[in-house]
Amino acid sequence: MIQVAVMGYGTIGSGVVEVLETNREIIKRKTGQDISVKYILDLREFPGDPHEDLIVHDFSTIEKDPDVGIVVEAMGGVNPAYAFAKACLLAGKQVVTSNKALVAAHGTELLQIARDKNINFFFEASVGGGIPIIRPMVQCLAGEQILEISGILNGTTNFILSKMDREGQTFEEALKKAQELGYAERNPEADVEGYDTCRKITILTSLALEKEVNYEEVYTEGITKITDTDFKYAAKMGTSIKLFGSSRMADGKTSVFVCPMMIDRDHPLYGVSDVFNAVMVRGNMVGTLMFYGSGAGKLPTASAVVADIMEAACHMTDNVPLGWSSEKQQLSDVKEMRFRYFIRFAGSAAEKLADVEAAFGKTEIIELPGMDEFAVLTGEMTELKYHKVAAAFGDIRQMIRA
Amino acid sequence: MIQVAVMGYGTIGSGVVEVLETNREIIKRKTGQDISVKYILDLREFPGDPHEDLIVHDFSTIEKDPDVGIVVEAMGGVNPAYAFAKACLLAGKQVVTSNKALVAAHGTELLQIARDKNINFFFEASVGGGIPIIRPMVQCLAGEQILEISGILNGTTNFILSKMDREGQTFEEALKKAQELGYAERNPEADVEGYDTCRKITILTSLALEKEVNYEEVYTEGITKITDTDFKYAAKMGTSIKLFGSSRMADGKTSVFVCPMMIDRDHPLYGVSDVFNAVMVRGNMVGTLMFYGSGAGKLPTASAVVADIMEAACHMTDNVPLGWSSEKQQLSDVKEMRFRYFIRFAGSAAEKLADVEAAFGKTEIIELPGMDEFAVLTGEMTELKYHKVAAAFGDIRQMIRA
């Protein structure tokens, strides 16, 4: 029998307890072990909850109990998750987490402690919720040089953008709807400013390169400036706008960025709508793969945590190679990255297009009826060039990378 | 150093040699082992090939060489692949294969020998080419009760159907094009009759249930009777027609079938075109996941084989739990399965619709201009009921499940 402690009895923590119970027989058959929850750590009381008797308020109860072999960290945030996870690993307990903030900020150290202790620190659920992505990347694409990862990694922003796309809502309307449905928090900053996506693409990039990537160095731009007008142009162009977390790894250079991207119908991520997530991976041999599913939600995320618990249960005293070293990955300056640019200009195309093309090169022009503006889609150029030309040109209402 | 023998120097075998060479450094870094090819078994000579000196014609050279730790079976077909794979395992050599016919027919026995010998029989590349599907299903969905698997598992038929869909080609025209491009063999039977898809869905179902499924018991219908007229109706309905390999596992019953299915735009597999493959998996906790990528092709398939070689290299003397037992899975009779049916009738809707609905129940009607026929989409019913009513009704030009 393997005893588990669950830290944090919120959405994911309670989901983990539920999945362990619902699928108890399958889990026992596959691992050959009875996995049961001994403690649930939470500051709150849960009177009437069927697991009320498992609630503890003092972390040291878990830390000091030698019967606890695996600890699930489902508290979220960096503190005290970091201190608790570290203490558990140092006490020889395996740690499984769904917490991308923890993994992005302290993954390198926690992975090293796990290696030193011959146990494991697993975090499949920290990226893409229930979508298997970390283990497939590490194991199934083991022989690949990974050239690109692009993901729709945040369900909240994807829901908002889908609402704007399909129903013509403004950002504010769509955000309000997302909050009403419980998809967005009252303070939505971590989602809409791209911080959540930033942590997730950082983790995937670290795994691909087996080196530490500093999430603070990742260029990160959210979706708060995307408007319903942008989606009117997108509809006319047959494109959509999605919040991408991407890394490009080729020729010894690594670029990582988070920003809204305008993509067309042929892009594998075009059809990923609502709260769904998807990750596209391009390898030098395997070509383009895509992994798609529920990127968040109680049970999908809990399912990924439970798969990690099961793997940990099968490796109680050996470290499964996974993760990255403490070697730091240098990132290319965002100014060197190349994109096409969708740009909206005040004024009329008839008057201004010649000047626009003199500055930005040959473009595709998009006009909507009855607007005092027009848009173009440029050819590919560096960020450096775009910003230089754009600053000199002025009159720009919007820019979205494509 | 780990020495590998590659049996079969065709598309996949040569791809494996190429991936091992191109990504040698990555492979060495990740496995901590130098993996090199010692023999290539083929009946043919390859004068001028850079690996000419590795070619052997006699299997016993491989079987008897104690230095060979891992054998790649890339010959295809059941004979002599089965005899060779079995002999290698019995000689204590790990076997990695891309051969779905071998795995579907003899997987149970080969998996058992590998377990008995404390080594491994891996076959990630046998389903979905380069798409990681077997390991994610076994490991990442370990804690799930899998309720449904539906896949577009054959690139050749998907290419043909995509051509018919987009370009209005007949089956014969699209097949000819596929043969010209090398996507279809001169004898295309295994693909177009659904036999290839049948083996693949059998393997996935066996993995999901951890029991042996007999591929000969799987209801299998190919795409040879799908016409350009069917796609005209599909276009009008906003649907597409794809060859599905599916299994439904719920309430203690298991149904497995291969047949063309009419699916609408909301289906996760709707957008999977050309030679791409995709597998949709639905679990009781995680919901719907999809895995998408190149389902065939030299390098993608070889990439999956190489990932298996790398995993085998890390487990030279221990069996990684994977596969199924010799317990046989009972399959439900196809007659009990429930579908909706797209049916084309000779004659005019004005005259016949009342009779059609009296027989099949309430339907949606679809008419194309200038045709001496019409089509309906029925509600859900069992195969038993459909065939009973259809036989009594007559005048049916086509039936496609939906």
Side-chain angles (χ1 to χ4, degrees):
Chain A
M1 170 136 104
I2 293 177
Q3 310 238 38
V4 172
V6 176
M7 303 197 295
Y9 200 42
T11 306
I12 294 167
S14 61
V16 170
V17 175
E18 184 176 338
V19 173
L20 284 173
E21 282 186 355
T22 308
N23 289 351
R24 174 178 294 273
E25 285 311 308
I26 297 174
I27 292 167
K28 192 171 176 179
R29 196 179 72 232
K30 294 207 185 168
T31 60
Q33 301 272 4
D34 209 350
I35 296 177
S36 77
V37 177
K38 184 165 186 182
Y39 302 114
I40 297 169
L41 178 72
D42 206 290
L43 292 176
R44 299 164 291 180
E45 301 287 350
F46 294 85
D49 186 282
H51 304 291
E52 193 182 354
D53 54 323
L54 304 181
I55 302 281
V56 294
H57 303 299
D58 181 1
F59 169 68
S60 69
T61 310
I62 294 169
E63 188 187 12
K64 288 181 184 155
D65 186 336
D67 292 344
V68 173
I70 300 172
V71 178
V72 174
E73 187 285 297
M75 296 182 289
V78 173
N79 293 310
Y82 166 58
F84 288 3
K86 185 173 172 177
C88 289
L89 289 168
L90 287 171
K93 300 176 196 309
Q94 309 206 65
V95 174
V96 170
T97 186
S98 58
N99 183 341
K100 62 261 164 188
L102 172 65
V103 179
H106 298 287
T108 309
E109 182 189 359
L110 298 173
L111 283 162
Q112 189 56 49
I113 298 173
R115 263 178 232 121
D116 292 342
K117 290 274 176 185
N118 241 351
I119 51 174
N120 297 285
F121 174 63
F122 288 145
F123 46 92
E124 178 65 65
S126 68
V127 182
I131 306 173
I133 174 65
I134 289 177
R135 212 161 270 121
M137 251 183 54
V138 171
Q139 294 198 334
C140 305
L141 305 182
E144 287 286 316
Q145 186 188 345
I146 294 175
L147 303 174
E148 183 187 346
I149 305 172
S150 282
I152 294 175
L153 298 168
N154 179 273
T156 307
T157 47
N158 205 41
F159 176 84
I160 292 171
L161 294 173
S162 296
K163 277 270 163 198
M164 294 173 74
D165 192 355
R166 289 194 193 153
E167 299 174 25
Q169 293 188 356
T170 64
F171 172 76
E172 291 72 21
E173 288 165 348
L175 171 60
K176 190 155 169 277
K177 187 74 195 171
Q179 287 171 323
E180 282 167 16
L181 292 169
Y183 295 153
E185 299 185 38
R186 244 182 316 170
N187 178 355
E189 195 186 7
D191 292 319
V192 300
E193 297 293 355
Y195 304 153
D196 176 82
T197 298
C198 167
R199 268 109 185 129
K200 291 171 176 169
I201 189 66
T202 296
I203 294 169
L204 293 179
T205 310
S206 297
L207 284 165
L209 298 166
E210 298 183 274
K211 293 183 188 168
E212 182 180 77
V213 174
N214 183 350
Y215 72 88
E216 290 170 322
E217 292 172 15
V218 172
Y219 176 77
T220 301
E221 184 182 315
I223 64 163
T224 55
K225 288 175 196 146
I226 303 295
T227 69
D228 46 334
T229 306
D230 298 324
F231 275 104
K232 285 183 190 141
Y233 283 101
K236 179 143 189 198
M237 297 164 77
T239 61
S240 190
I241 302 164
K242 307 277 185 189
L243 182 64
F244 264 44
S246 289
S247 52
R248 300 175 184 173
M249 295 155 280
D251 312 322
K253 287 194 177 178
T254 300
S255 318
V256 190
F257 57 92
V258 174
C259 67
M261 294 281 288
M262 186 175 266
I263 56 172
D264 66 24
R265 272 167 217 241
D266 293 335
H267 196 288
L269 300 179
Y270 178 87
V272 180
S273 298
D274 299 324
V275 293
F276 284 94
N277 281 18
V279 184
M280 192 199 90
V281 180
R282 195 159 55 81
N284 71 334
M285 295 288 138
V286 79
T288 298
L289 299 173
M290 188 178 71
F291 305 81
Y292 167 95
S294 296
K298 178 175 175 165
L299 295 179
T301 307
S303 170
V305 172
V306 169
D308 273 352
I309 294 173
M310 291 170 70
E311 173 116 9
C314 297
H315 296 275
M316 291 302 283
T317 55
D318 67 293
N319 179 265
V320 178
L322 176 99
W324 54 87
S325 72
S326 58
E327 189 182 340
K328 285 180 179 37
Q329 175 65 46
Q330 198 75 28
L331 300 187
S332 295
D333 192 317
V334 61
K335 291 195 188 77
E336 295 173 24
M337 291 185 224
R338 298 176 71 83
F339 297 95
R340 299 181 73 187
Y341 297 86
F342 164 85
I343 316 172
R344 287 167 44 206
F345 294 95
S348 82
E351 281 171 22
K352 281 197 176 169
L353 186 61
D355 292 344
V356 166
E357 295 207 331
F360 291 93
K362 186 87 191 109
T363 64
E364 292 168 31
I365 180 167
I366 312 102
E367 289 179 283
L368 296 178
M371 303 281 282
D372 64 340
E373 59 167 67
F374 67 101
V376 302
L377 183 64
T378 73
E380 203 179 281
M381 65 186 86
T382 62
E383 282 278 303
L384 183 66
K385 176 166 179 203
Y386 167 79
H387 283 289
K388 215 160 152 182
V389 176
F393 198 89
D395 274 357
I396 290 178
R397 291 192 174 168
Q398 177 67 290
M399 178 277 278
I400 300 171
R401 293 170 188 87
Chain B
M1 171 137 102
I2 292 176
Q3 311 238 37
V4 172
V6 176
M7 304 197 294
Y9 200 43
T11 306
I12 295 166
S14 61
V16 170
V17 175
E18 183 176 338
V19 173
L20 284 173
E21 282 186 355
T22 308
N23 289 350
R24 176 179 294 274
E25 284 313 308
I26 297 173
I27 292 167
K28 192 171 175 177
R29 195 179 73 231
K30 293 207 186 169
T31 59
Q33 301 272 5
D34 211 348
I35 296 177
S36 76
V37 178
K38 184 164 186 184
Y39 302 113
I40 297 170
L41 178 72
D42 207 290
L43 291 177
R44 298 164 291 179
E45 301 288 349
F46 294 85
D49 186 283
H51 305 292
E52 193 181 354
D53 54 322
L54 304 181
I55 301 282
V56 294
H57 303 300
D58 181 0
F59 169 67
S60 68
T61 309
I62 294 170
E63 186 186 13
K64 288 179 184 158
D65 187 335
D67 291 345
V68 173
I70 299 172
V71 178
V72 174
E73 187 284 297
M75 298 182 288
V78 174
N79 293 310
Y82 166 57
F84 288 3
K86 185 172 172 177
C88 288
L89 289 168
L90 288 171
K93 300 175 196 311
Q94 309 206 63
V95 173
V96 170
T97 186
S98 58
N99 182 340
K100 62 263 165 185
L102 172 66
V103 179
H106 298 288
T108 309
E109 183 189 0
L110 298 173
L111 283 162
Q112 189 56 49
I113 298 173
R115 265 178 231 121
D116 292 343
K117 291 274 177 185
N118 241 350
I119 51 175
N120 296 286
F121 175 63
F122 287 146
F123 47 92
E124 178 66 64
S126 68
V127 182
I131 306 173
I133 175 65
I134 289 178
R135 210 162 271 120
M137 249 183 55
V138 171
Q139 294 198 334
C140 305
L141 304 182
E144 286 286 317
Q145 186 187 347
I146 294 175
L147 303 173
E148 182 187 347
I149 305 172
S150 282
I152 294 175
L153 298 168
N154 179 274
T156 307
T157 47
N158 205 43
F159 176 84
I160 291 171
L161 294 172
S162 296
K163 277 272 162 196
M164 293 174 74
D165 192 357
R166 288 193 194 154
E167 299 174 26
Q169 293 188 354
T170 65
F171 172 75
E172 290 72 22
E173 287 165 349
L175 171 60
K176 191 155 168 278
K177 186 78 193 167
Q179 286 171 322
E180 281 167 18
L181 291 169
Y183 295 154
E185 299 184 37
R186 244 181 318 167
N187 178 355
E189 196 186 5
D191 292 321
V192 300
E193 296 293 356
Y195 304 153
D196 176 81
T197 298
C198 167
R199 268 101 183 139
K200 291 170 176 169
I201 189 66
T202 296
I203 293 170
L204 293 179
T205 310
S206 296
L207 284 165
L209 298 166
E210 297 182 274
K211 293 182 188 168
E212 181 179 76
V213 174
N214 182 350
Y215 71 90
E216 290 171 320
E217 292 172 15
V218 172
Y219 177 77
T220 301
E221 184 182 314
I223 63 163
T224 54
K225 288 175 195 148
I226 303 296
T227 69
D228 47 333
T229 305
D230 298 325
F231 275 105
K232 285 183 189 141
Y233 283 102
K236 177 141 190 198
M237 297 162 78
T239 62
S240 190
I241 302 165
K242 306 278 185 191
L243 181 64
F244 265 46
S246 289
S247 52
R248 300 175 183 172
M249 294 155 281
D251 311 323
K253 287 193 179 177
T254 299
S255 316
V256 189
F257 58 92
V258 175
C259 67
M261 294 280 290
M262 186 174 266
I263 56 172
D264 66 23
R265 275 170 214 236
D266 293 335
H267 196 288
L269 300 180
Y270 178 86
V272 180
S273 298
D274 300 324
V275 293
F276 285 94
N277 281 18
V279 184
M280 192 200 91
V281 180
R282 194 159 55 81
N284 71 334
M285 294 289 138
V286 79
T288 298
L289 300 172
M290 187 178 71
F291 305 82
Y292 168 94
S294 296
K298 178 176 175 167
L299 295 179
T301 307
S303 170
V305 172
V306 169
D308 273 352
I309 295 174
M310 292 171 70
E311 173 116 9
C314 297
H315 296 275
M316 291 301 282
T317 55
D318 66 293
N319 178 266
V320 178
L322 177 97
W324 55 86
S325 72
S326 58
E327 190 182 340
K328 284 179 179 37
Q329 175 65 46
Q330 198 74 27
L331 300 187
S332 295
D333 193 315
V334 62
K335 292 196 190 76
E336 295 173 25
M337 291 186 224
R338 297 175 71 84
F339 297 95
R340 298 181 73 187
Y341 297 86
F342 164 85
I343 316 172
R344 285 166 46 206
F345 294 95
S348 82
E351 279 172 22
K352 281 199 177 167
L353 187 62
D355 292 342
V356 166
E357 295 206 331
F360 291 93
K362 187 88 191 112
T363 65
E364 293 168 32
I365 181 167
I366 311 103
E367 289 180 282
L368 296 179
M371 302 281 281
D372 65 340
E373 59 166 72
F374 66 100
V376 301
L377 183 63
T378 74
E380 203 179 281
M381 65 186 85
T382 62
E383 282 278 302
L384 183 67
K385 177 167 178 201
Y386 166 79
H387 283 288
K388 216 159 150 181
V389 176
F393 199 88
D395 274 356
I396 291 178
R397 291 192 173 169
Q398 176 68 292
M399 178 276 277
I400 300 172
R401 294 171 188 87

